């Protein structure tokens, strides 16, 4: 087929432009990315060859060769992996097929530094070659296709690329980078080797370069006629822990996660027994842009006996641990395992349990660190991934207690906005006569802190956890108690402060008796709005508040569901009034404006907890009438 010129997908153009300008200081990564693609291509060939050994043709030893040509000013990477057909080249090297691409581009700010970090997370891949090259030529042939179906792809990394069909005997892909004018320093064996050793040492595929030796006569390095392997070329996770340096673990992470930051923690071990596998798991230091999306791809790669099987093996990890990156290499699973088989396999179940336990231990270790650096790490972890981990309280009933211990909250007893109070901290600070763990939920921290429901707790010095994340109510519906102490919303049910309130009880009961008729009349006046009206001693400064009846959904949760477009069963709240407040003391059932006052107390309470009025106009009218009456 003749040469054809095609346009890059709009997102590719945008990415190319950004990358060349913002990743320049990190330009060495192009080699890591291209080697990683060659290694993927080798993995894919090995995998397809399980069913069809003929794909190896006469060239079964997989490798990648890196070379350079000083005169032509090119660097060339040549692999004998799976290769690409013409259609594959057009779509793989002309578009970005990744999910979340739109979302990603929406997040770019124009601030180079911030965007560079984002691009790093997104994974720059093949296009990173254009950081150092102003023209890239790719020649490739897919394994199994005839030599006449080779492809040449070429682009200057601007608007378009050209493809043509060529004759190509060799299976696999050859990528030639025509360097930009200022990149000559890369044309050195020493330089390329050191980049490879820095970023790609752990790549399981041998990386070959032409051997060079010192020639004393000429007093320079001279290329020999043989190749040498310049990387370790063994899968990192198969090596003994003692033989692996922290730096190697970190480099491997960066390769795996396409992240240029180091991970917060990792764990590496081999599990023997009923199910045998090796796991190397990492906790990243930063959440990717689409972390909260439950469709976010899992970061685990599955290998079987060192053969790569699949990326994003979500069956190996519960959804609430989707931030974990790493490798699981099983000795038991069949090589031709599919996602469907994975779903049913007992080995997979065992692996999933093992990976979960390991990850939780790793997080516990971070959480229990005594030193400042360790504490900071858990803080970082919590800020980045806390909301996701909270899902585990609901999702993972087997490990609920363990996950709950890892959760951190904002609280009335810390003055930062940070979530840094563990349930165990709370329990340790509980008053001797206190039996419950109290919390309040609201849309914002400010609203939570100012909630009228907190007044009595403040007065008595009782700590209340401040919950403002969307998942909180859902999470708490799975967490009835911690360490034997029930969790109680300050805005739900009858406030039973238990022994905290003993001294005042008698006096309160007396007031209750006296005001009974008044409360009955209020109930009558508000029968369309309130499920019940009762006196409360939980307030000190506010005249009234709303509470949800036991078993009813809280007002906050009802509003959240409504905002999410879901039908929340509408449960009427209970109005509680503070008999010690002047507004309540001034209520007289026989006055003409009694009903107006009742409505005002209700509407105020609804506003104070962040609710919205069904009929704001009536509220304003009523309030003005009452104000005018007072003024007059
Ligand atoms: P990613 O590796 O994350 O998929 P890249 O931009 O690095 O993204 O590569 C895009 C795609 O191009 C790859 O998924 C692969 O299909 C194809 N590709 C790139 N390099 C090679 C190669 N050396 N051999 C075969 N296919 C390749
Ligand atoms: Mg890639």
């Amino acid at each position: 087929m003749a040469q054809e010129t095609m346009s890059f997908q709009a997102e590719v153009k945008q990415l190319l432009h950004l990358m060349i300008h913002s990743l320049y200081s990190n330009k060495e990564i192009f080699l890591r990315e291209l080697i990683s693609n060659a290694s993927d291509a080798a993995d894919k060939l090995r995998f397809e060859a399980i069913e069809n050994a003929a794909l190896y043709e006469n060239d079964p030893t997989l490798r990648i060769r890196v070379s350079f040509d000083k005169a032509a000013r090119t660097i060339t990477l040549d692999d004998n992996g799976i290769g690409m057909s013409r259609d594959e080249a057009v779509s793989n090297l002309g578009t970005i097929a990744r999910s979340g691409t739109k979302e990603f581009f929406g997040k770019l700010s124009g601030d180079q530094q911030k965007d560079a970090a984002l691009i790093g997370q997104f994974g720059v891949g093949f296009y990173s070659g254009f950081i150092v090259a102003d023209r890239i030529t790719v020649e490739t042939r897919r394994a199994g296709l005839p030599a006449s179906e080779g492809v040449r792809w070429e682009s200057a990394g601007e608007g378009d690329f050209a493809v043509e069909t060529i004759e190509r005997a060799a299976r696999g892909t050859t990528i030639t980078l025509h360097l930009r004018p200022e990149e000559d320093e890369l044309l050195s064996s020493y330089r390329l080797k050191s980049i490879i050793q820095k970023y790609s040492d752990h790549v399981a595929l041998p990386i070959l370069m032409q051997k060079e030796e010192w020639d004393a006569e000429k007093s320079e390095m001279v290329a020999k006629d043989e190749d040498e392997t310049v990387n370790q070329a063994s899968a990192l996770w198969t090596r003994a822990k003692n033989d692996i340096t922290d730096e190697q673990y970190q480099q491997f992470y960066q390769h795996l996660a396409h992240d240029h930051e180091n991970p917060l923690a990792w764990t590496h071990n081999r599990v023997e027994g009923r199910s045998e596998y090796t796991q190397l798991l990492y906790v990243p230091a930063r959440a990717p842009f689409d972390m909260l999306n439950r469709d976010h791809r899992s970061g685990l790669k599955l290998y079987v006996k060192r053969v790569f099987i699949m990326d994003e093996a979500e069956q190996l990890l519960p959804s609430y641990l989707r931030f974990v990156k790493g490798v699981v290499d099983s000795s038991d699973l069949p090589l031709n395992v599919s996602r469907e088989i994975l779903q049913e396999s007992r080995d997979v179940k065992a692996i999933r349990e093992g990976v979960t336990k390991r990850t939780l231990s790793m997080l516990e270790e971070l959480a229990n660190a005594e030193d400042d650096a360790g504490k900071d790490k858990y803080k970082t972890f919590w800020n980045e991934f806390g909301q996701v981990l909270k899902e585990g309280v609901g999702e993972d009933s087997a490990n609920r207690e363990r996950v709950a211990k890892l959760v951190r909250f904002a609280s009335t007893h810390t003055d930062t906005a940070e979530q840094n109070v563990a349930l165990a901290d709370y329990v340790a600070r509980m008053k001797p006569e206190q039996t419950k763990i109290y919390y309040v939920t609201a849309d914002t921290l400010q609203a939570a802190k100012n909630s009228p429901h907190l007044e009595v707790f403040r007065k008595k010095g009782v700590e209340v956890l401040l919950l403002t994340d969307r998942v909180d109510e859902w999470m708490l519906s799975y967490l009835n108690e911690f360490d034997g102490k029930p969790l109680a919303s300050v805005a739900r049910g009858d406030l039973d402060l238990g022994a905290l309130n003993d001294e005042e009880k008698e006096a309160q009961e007396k007031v209750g008796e006296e005001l009974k008729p008044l409360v009955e009349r209020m109930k009558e006046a508000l029968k369309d709005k309130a499920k019940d009206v009762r006196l409360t001693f939980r307030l000190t400064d506010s005249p009234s508040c709303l509470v949800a009846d036991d078993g009813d959904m809280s007002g906050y949760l009802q509003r959240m569901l409504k905002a999410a477009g879901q039908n929340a069963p509408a449960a009427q709240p209970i109005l509680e009034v503070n008999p010690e407040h002047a507004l309540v003391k001034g209520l007289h059932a026989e006055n003409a404006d009694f009903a107006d006052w009742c409505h005002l107390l209700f509407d105020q309470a609804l506003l104070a907890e962040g609710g919205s009025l069904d009929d704001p106009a009536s509220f304003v009218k009523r309030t003005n009438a009452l104000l005018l009456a007072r003024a007059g």
Side-chain angles (χ1 to χ4, degrees):
M1 218 190 288
Q3 185 173 350
E4 209 180 335
T5 301
M6 298 177 157
S7 200
F8 283 121
Q9 180 195 27
E11 279 86 358
V12 174
K13 287 187 213 167
Q14 211 175 340
L15 181 68
L16 278 168
H17 180 80
L18 264 162
M19 207 172 49
I20 294 164
H21 291 93
S22 61
L23 288 186
Y24 187 74
S25 55
N26 229 338
K27 64 177 181 184
E28 298 173 346
I29 60 165
F30 82 91
L31 204 52
R32 174 188 81 188
E33 294 295 332
L34 297 181
I35 288 175
S36 137
N37 286 348
S39 159
D40 291 349
D43 281 343
K44 282 180 202 157
L45 178 67
R46 244 183 245 122
F47 181 65
E48 286 193 19
I50 295 168
E51 306 243 289
N52 178 12
L55 291 179
Y56 281 123
E57 300 175 8
N58 288 320
D59 183 15
T61 313
L62 300 181
R63 46 83 196 145
I64 172 170
R65 182 174 285 113
V66 178
S67 56
F68 63 96
D69 180 333
K70 263 194 150 143
R73 305 188 58 264
T74 56
I75 294 174
T76 299
L77 290 94
D78 176 76
D79 71 61
N80 56 353
I82 191 77
M84 285 175 274
S85 67
R86 184 172 174 131
D87 287 349
E88 284 168 335
V90 167
S91 82
N92 295 344
L93 307 181
T95 59
I96 305 173
R98 223 158 315 161
S99 68
T101 300
K102 281 243 150 56
E103 222 175 331
F104 167 77
F105 282 96
K107 290 229 168 165
L108 292 173
S109 61
D111 175 327
Q112 266 196 19
Q113 231 170 349
K114 276 194 207 142
D115 289 349
L118 262 181
I119 291 173
Q121 289 180 19
F122 185 68
V124 287
F126 171 78
Y127 304 108
S128 63
F130 287 107
I131 303 175
V132 297
D134 52 18
R135 187 156 54 95
I136 298 182
T137 312
V138 179
E139 294 193 351
T140 182
R141 175 171 69 76
R142 198 181 201 290
L145 292 181
S148 59
E149 291 191 38
V151 189
R152 177 183 293 123
W153 178 103
E154 187 165 75
S155 172
E158 280 158 3
D160 48 30
F161 60 89
V163 268
E164 67 184 301
T165 301
I166 56 166
E167 204 39 55
R168 180 176 156 102
R171 169 197 77 223
T173 305
T174 307
I175 297 178
T176 304
L177 305 168
H178 305 266
L179 296 185
R180 291 177 187 277
E182 61 280 14
E183 303 298 347
D184 283 53
E185 56 110 7
L186 291 169
L187 297 168
S188 131
S189 188
Y190 175 77
R191 179 81 165 104
L192 291 175
K193 248 186 236 176
S194 55
I195 301 178
I196 292 170
Q197 277 155 4
K198 177 167 172 199
Y199 292 105
S200 310
D201 202 30
H202 48 264
V203 168
L205 193 66
I207 303 172
L208 309 181
M209 282 185 72
Q210 196 173 16
K211 205 167 175 174
E212 278 195 339
E213 251 170 34
W214 182 252
D215 187 319
E217 241 163 71
K218 292 187 184 160
S219 130
E220 62 178 17
M221 298 295 287
V222 176
K224 310 294 279 185
D225 260 353
E226 57 192 301
D227 283 337
E228 62 175 338
T229 301
V230 297
N231 63 333
Q232 292 248 8
S234 75
L236 180 98
W237 64 90
T238 61
R239 305 198 334 233
K241 258 160 108 163
N242 292 342
D243 298 340
I244 308 174
T245 64
D246 282 1
E247 216 182 8
Q248 286 171 324
Y249 275 122
Q250 289 164 344
Q251 293 299 352
F252 182 66
Y253 165 79
Q254 297 195 350
H255 154 80
L256 195 74
H258 293 276
D259 190 348
H260 54 253
E261 279 183 64
N262 283 330
L264 286 177
W266 61 84
T267 177
H268 179 197
N269 74 315
R270 175 157 183 80
V271 179
E272 321 249 322
R274 196 169 67 71
S275 187
E276 296 197 356
Y277 58 94
T278 299
Q279 53 188 344
L280 172 53
L281 312 171
Y282 292 94
V283 178
R286 197 173 303 280
F289 57 92
D290 56 350
M291 187 78 251
L292 286 181
N293 186 343
R294 282 183 59 89
D295 300 333
H296 175 79
R297 306 186 295 173
S298 142
L300 278 196
K301 283 184 198 282
L302 174 65
Y303 284 73
V304 172
K305 300 184 194 82
R306 251 148 271 178
V307 176
F308 170 76
I309 305 295
M310 67 179 77
D311 274 318
E312 307 150 31
E314 67 272 4
Q315 293 84 354
L316 300 182
L317 204 65
S319 170
Y320 75 97
L321 298 179
R322 59 189 178 271
F323 52 84
V324 173
K325 305 268 181 209
V327 170
V328 170
D329 190 344
S330 158
S331 313
D332 311 313
L333 289 169
L335 279 170
N336 59 357
V337 68
S338 65
R339 286 189 197 266
E340 292 66 46
I341 294 179
L342 281 187
Q343 238 144 30
E344 279 151 28
S345 155
R346 284 179 49 213
D347 288 315
V348 170
K349 231 177 166 179
I351 293 175
R352 184 183 165 106
E353 279 165 19
V355 170
T356 303
K357 292 222 157 74
R358 265 277 150 170
T359 304
L360 293 177
S361 311
M362 176 163 52
L363 295 176
E364 281 157 1
E365 226 164 89
L366 280 185
N368 298 331
E370 301 280 341
D371 57 311
D372 285 348
K375 282 185 184 149
D376 276 350
K377 280 188 184 168
Y378 196 71
K379 214 186 256 179
T380 304
F381 163 76
W382 186 257
N383 290 337
E384 294 292 317
F385 302 109
Q387 296 205 47
V388 180
L389 191 75
K390 281 178 183 174
E391 293 170 13
V393 172
E395 195 180 318
D396 189 352
S397 52
N399 293 300
R400 182 162 298 146
E401 184 85 347
R402 280 181 85 176
V403 179
K405 281 187 183 150
L406 290 166
V407 174
R408 297 291 180 268
F409 298 95
S411 150
T412 51
H413 273 41
T414 56
D415 27 281
T416 63
E418 228 159 297
Q419 299 180 348
N420 58 5
V421 174
L423 287 168
D425 301 334
Y426 182 103
V427 169
R429 286 199 286 259
M430 278 170 68
K431 302 264 169 202
E433 57 291 13
Q434 184 182 350
T435 55
K436 294 179 185 168
I437 298 172
Y438 293 104
Y439 66 85
V440 60
T441 45
D443 295 322
T444 64
L445 194 67
Q446 211 50 33
K449 274 186 173 161
N450 292 331
S451 164
H453 297 112
L454 294 189
E455 289 170 7
V456 67
F457 293 91
R458 205 167 284 131
K459 186 168 123 193
K460 294 184 183 297
V462 173
E463 179 167 12
V464 178
L465 301 174
L466 307 169
L467 274 54
T468 52
D469 284 339
R470 295 188 74 108
V471 306
D472 286 338
E473 282 262 358
W474 179 82
M475 170 181 72
L476 288 171
S477 66
Y478 289 92
L479 193 67
N480 302 319
E481 55 159 55
F482 178 82
D483 196 8
K485 320 272 186 301
L487 274 86
S489 162
V490 299
R492 169 181 297 282
D494 203 0
L495 183 66
D496 174 15
L497 285 178
L500 284 171
N501 214 24
D502 271 355
E503 318 146 29
E504 290 137 346
K505 229 176 194 145
E506 219 171 288
Q508 288 175 356
E509 271 160 19
K510 200 167 146 242
V511 178
E513 221 27 65
E514 280 167 17
L515 293 184
K516 216 172 181 174
L518 182 77
V519 168
E520 284 304 317
R521 296 293 300 274
M522 291 182 80
K523 215 181 283 186
E524 181 59 27
L526 291 172
K527 65 177 187 296
D528 295 333
K529 281 180 167 169
K531 191 169 184 175
D532 196 5
V533 177
R534 62 192 182 208
L535 295 181
T536 186
F537 298 92
R538 74 172 97 209
L539 301 174
T540 57
D541 307 326
S542 306
S544 59
C545 66
L546 298 179
V547 298
D549 202 359
D550 279 326
D552 283 352
M553 207 180 272
S554 74
Y556 169 69
L557 187 57
Q558 286 182 46
R559 285 195 293 282
M560 222 167 68
L561 288 175
K562 214 168 144 191
Q566 294 190 34
N567 273 334
Q572 285 187 338
I574 295 168
L575 177 71
E576 293 196 346
V577 293
N578 172 6
E580 262 139 51
H581 196 281
L583 277 185
V584 178
K585 280 186 172 156
L587 279 180
H588 296 289
E590 56 281 3
N591 286 2
D593 56 7
F594 177 71
D596 281 346
W597 280 109
C598 293
H599 281 284
L600 184 69
L601 288 172
F602 183 97
D603 290 350
Q604 275 195 349
L606 181 58
L607 288 174
E609 66 163 39
S612 56
L613 302 172
D614 285 340
D615 183 3
S618 296
F619 168 77
V620 172
K621 215 162 116 196
R622 242 180 241 129
T623 309
N624 286 343
L626 294 172
L627 288 173
L628 281 174
R630 281 275 156 110

